[in-house]
Amino acid sequence: MADPKHKLLFIFLCAMLNLLTTTKATPTYTTTHCTNTTTYAPNTTFQTNLNILFYYFSNNISQSNGYFFSITGFNTDDAVGGLYICRGDITTTVCDQCLTAAVKEIRIRCPNQTEALIWYDECFLRFTNRYFAIDKIVPRANFDDGNISSGVDLERFNQSLHGLLNDLATEAAASLQSKKFAAGDTPVMESMKVYGLVQCTNDLTKSQCETCLRNAIGTLPNGKQGARALLPSCNVRYQLYPFFTLSSSSSSGDSKLGPGTIAVVIVVPVVFLIILFLGCYYFKKSWG
Ligand SMILES: *[C@@H]1O[C@H](CO)[C@@H](O)[C@H](O)[C@H]1NC(C)=O
Ligand SMILES: *[C@@H]1O[C@H](CO)[C@@H](O)[C@H](O)[C@H]1NC(C)=O
Ligand SMILES: *[C@@H]1O[C@H](CO)[C@@H](O)[C@H](O)[C@H]1NC(C)=O
Ligand SMILES: *[C@@H]1O[C@H](CO)[C@@H](O)[C@H](O)[C@H]1NC(C)=O
Ligand SMILES: *[C@@H]1O[C@H](CO)[C@@H](O)[C@H](O)[C@H]1NC(C)=O
Ligand SMILES: *[C@@H]1O[C@H](CO)[C@@H](O)[C@H](O)[C@H]1NC(C)=O
């Protein structure tokens, strides 16, 4: 550590490591729908029921496997029904962070509302006083990115995209696990792949999930770099870049990492980080 340049580089690496270990991934907000038909007054039974629902939400995350539905004040005029779902590939920790943000944000964006829906990249949450008449298809939101570059054969792109999404829809609907989720990729042309993700809420039957997903897929525009169809009971998204974590049980398409690649991609940085971490710890102790 005699060379001051080396010491500076080391301090810089330690600072980066510190940033890496303290930064919490913030969930990415997408959109909100406030129905605006009825509001509730403060300190009413409805508000209490909604608070209890949100309390259940935040306390059932670890055992919920990413999906939870509940009704509070059941069989009364002040009943509230609500559900949340986390994206099929994310961890309980990220699910927890997303729901915490969603519960906070939905109160701010739809104050006093008896019905509202909020979407994030990582989770979706809704509540309603009309839980007995929940619609699976509406209200909905669609988003798309800019046009795909002009060199791309749109017909071929559309074929690859719909081939992928239809396969994923079939896979998700038929899933025997509680999660109705599928994600994967397919080549469009040389050095271009399209990545797709579909998910239904766990309560849907196979045919309900399939109906919801086909409806969602049917609303996606052609020739965009990416698009989403967000429905209350299912959602579909595609991009030209990976935006989810593929696990071997929930992927289709041809890209799979071999064990050799995994060793290089995971083990080497981990060993490097451990050495750096120990180095930083020792450094902090001895230089303050
Ligand atoms: C509800 O009201 C807000 C604010 O006035 C508005 O932005 C939003 O579009 C309304 N939602 C619906 C579904 O009409
Ligand atoms: C609601 O209840 C809280 C606590 O009991 C009280 O402080 C507040 O003034 C009440 N608000 C209304 C509008 O009644
Ligand atoms: C989870 O939700 C249920 C209602 O569906 C509730 O009875 C239970 O207390 C909740 N768990 C916790 C730890 O809050
Ligand atoms: C919503 O509730 C707040 C207090 O929580 C109150 O000040 C406001 O007037 C209410 N708005 C509506 C539209 O009821
Ligand atoms: C995107 O493509 C559509 C049709 O292919 C065209 O009408 C539109 O002008 C394009 N938009 C931009 C921003 O290039
Ligand atoms: C894209 O392909 C799907 C499925 O084959 C078809 O339904 C749709 O009409 C096509 N869209 C365009 C713009 O060609």
Side-chain angles (χ1 to χ4, degrees):
M1 213 57 73
D3 188 337
K5 257 194 253 163
H6 287 165
K7 191 172 170 183
L8 266 181
L9 177 68
F10 191 65
I11 291 175
F12 173 75
L13 283 176
C14 291
M16 294 308 290
L17 184 72
N18 204 29
L19 203 70
L20 213 82
T21 48
T22 52
T23 308
K24 263 195 176 178
T26 42
T28 308
Y29 170 76
T30 312
T31 192
T32 309
H33 178 98
C34 316
T35 301
N36 293 344
T37 44
T38 50
T39 56
Y40 62 85
N43 291 357
T44 51
T45 315
F46 185 90
Q47 184 174 46
T48 309
N49 287 341
L50 186 61
N51 289 343
I52 295 171
L53 183 74
F54 285 158
Y55 175 79
Y56 287 167
F57 277 5
S58 29
N59 282 287
N60 272 291
I61 291 170
S62 53
Q63 66 263 38
S64 70
N65 195 23
Y67 169 81
F68 184 73
F69 170 81
S70 189
I71 297 170
T72 54
F74 190 67
N75 259 341
T76 70
D77 288 345
D78 297 305
V80 197
L83 69 79
Y84 69 71
I85 184 159
C86 283
R87 209 174 69 198
D89 61 321
I90 64 169
T91 61
T92 307
T93 311
V94 178
C95 180
D96 195 351
Q97 285 165 2
C98 190
L99 279 167
T100 306
V103 163
K104 196 171 153 209
E105 202 63 27
I106 203 168
R107 287 179 186 275
I108 296 170
R109 290 182 187 262
C110 308
N112 313 359
Q113 297 268 323
T114 54
E115 185 171 77
L117 302 87
I118 188 165
W119 286 271
Y120 281 74
D121 274 7
E122 298 86 0
C123 68
F124 163 72
L125 183 158
R126 78 180 297 182
F127 66 83
T128 176
N129 61 336
R130 302 180 301 126
Y131 59 88
F132 42 84
I134 274 185
D135 194 302
K136 294 173 167 44
I137 306 290
V138 287
R140 58 195 295 153
N142 278 69
F143 294 94
D144 64 69
D145 304 338
N147 285 355
I148 210 162
S149 63
S150 52
V152 177
D153 177 347
L154 286 187
E155 203 167 307
R156 198 166 142 193
F157 175 71
N158 187 48
Q159 269 175 17
S160 301
L161 174 66
H162 281 269
L164 173 68
L165 294 180
N166 284 327
D167 285 353
L168 292 174
T170 307
E171 184 186 330
S175 172
L176 295 175
Q177 293 159 350
S178 57
K179 280 182 195 173
K180 298 200 182 315
F181 166 78
D185 61 72
T186 195
V188 179
M189 50 193 237
E190 215 180 316
S191 75
M192 183 188 265
K193 273 186 182 177
V194 60
Y195 297 81
L197 180 154
V198 309
Q199 187 165 11
C200 294
T201 54
N202 304 25
D203 57 317
L204 298 202
T205 63
K206 180 170 184 269
S207 79
Q208 285 172 331
C209 177
E210 207 141 10
T211 304
C212 190
L213 288 174
R214 304 268 176 240
N215 183 310
I217 292 168
T219 65
L220 294 174
N222 192 32
K224 301 291 177 184
Q225 293 172 28
R228 296 173 211 206
L230 309 174
L231 278 53
S233 290
C234 72
N235 62 78
V236 173
R237 178 179 178 187
Y238 77 85
Q239 304 287 167
L240 296 177
Y241 55 85
F243 58 95
F244 49 80
T245 319
L246 272 187
S247 81
S248 49
S249 63
S250 60
S251 65
S252 68
D254 9 297
S255 61
K256 293 252 159 54
L257 293 178
T261 325
I262 290 171
V264 175
V265 170
I266 295 173
V267 175
V268 171
V270 164
V271 168
F272 175 75
L273 280 177
I274 289 173
I275 293 172
L276 186 62
F277 189 79
L278 290 174
C280 290
Y281 181 74
Y282 177 70
F283 176 75
K284 263 192 199 164
K285 272 188 94 169
S286 46
W287 280 285

